Amino acid sequence: MKEKHINIRVEQCLALAKASACTRRTFGALLLDPERNVVLMDGYNGGPRGGGQLCGGDRCLRDELNIPSGTRMEVGCHHAEMNVVCNAAANGVTTRGAWLIVTGEPCVLCAKLLHHAGITRVLVVGGGYLGENGVDYLKAHGVAVQIVDGPQDPRRAKLG
């Protein structure tokens, strides 16, 4: 894909993340066909399909209970990467050979899912959220990882 097309898809992914009702972090993910330069499926982090509140409703239980990123996966919402792969599966859209853009670093669980789904490249919006990530897992299992420009996590300034 040409850089200008990737930049447009990053903007779309960032806009999609705004659909999340998560009080802690908003993530978006786009599944792409790199040969045809089309979006195959999208997803964002949120509660269960068909209703249900995000873990604590208008507050984040992960923050309140001081649960580190990448741990205690039973607490919290469905991740954008999970949603995009599940949306693709539910609609008969192949993930094999696809690329994924995500607005922050995937957790290890999502990295495993992306690898197993046959996604060949993950474009991570640089400056995304801090925390445990699955980038090393993806690279170790032959999934290309590309960091693309994006907005910075405001918490990075506090770590200064």
Side-chain angles (χ1 to χ4, degrees), residues 3-159:
E3 186 176 344
K4 71 176 185 177
H5 295 131
I6 290 173
N7 292 339
I8 290 167
R9 298 301 183 208
V10 167
E11 289 177 21
Q12 289 176 306
C13 198
L14 290 165
L16 177 65
K18 293 176 183 176
S20 172
C22 183
T23 60
R24 183 173 187 227
R25 299 180 181 176
T26 59
F27 278 81
L30 290 178
L31 187 69
L32 305 172
D33 178 332
E35 292 180 21
R36 297 182 309 155
N37 185 26
V38 295
V39 175
L40 299 171
M41 193 57 59
D42 63 19
Y44 54 88
N45 60 325
R49 184 172 305 284
Q53 292 189 348
L54 300 177
C55 61
D58 60 355
R59 65 193 201 289
C60 180
L61 290 181
R62 294 188 74 79
D63 283 343
E64 285 185 12
L65 300 173
N66 200 28
I67 299 171
S69 293
T71 65
R72 302 265 327 265
M73 299 311 291
E74 76 281 7
V75 177
C77 62
H78 298 159
H79 292 184
E81 304 93 324
M82 292 178 192
N83 277 335
V84 77
V85 170
C86 290
N87 289 342
N91 289 285
V93 175
T94 187
T95 56
R96 184 183 309 271
W99 289 11
L100 184 93
I101 297 179
V102 63
T103 58
E105 300 172 8
C107 71
V108 174
L109 185 61
C110 285
K112 290 179 178 183
L113 178 70
L114 299 175
H115 167 244
H116 196 66
I119 292 167
T120 58
R121 178 177 295 269
V122 175
L123 296 96
V124 179
V125 177
Y129 288 102
L130 300 168
E132 299 296 320
N133 68 73
V135 168
D136 290 340
Y137 178 92
L138 291 169
K139 289 178 179 178
H141 290 86
V143 178
V145 176
Q146 180 179 345
I147 306 300
V148 294
D149 289 334
Q152 296 294 303
D153 181 342
R155 294 175 296 164
R156 286 188 191 275
K158 294 178 185 175
L159 297 175

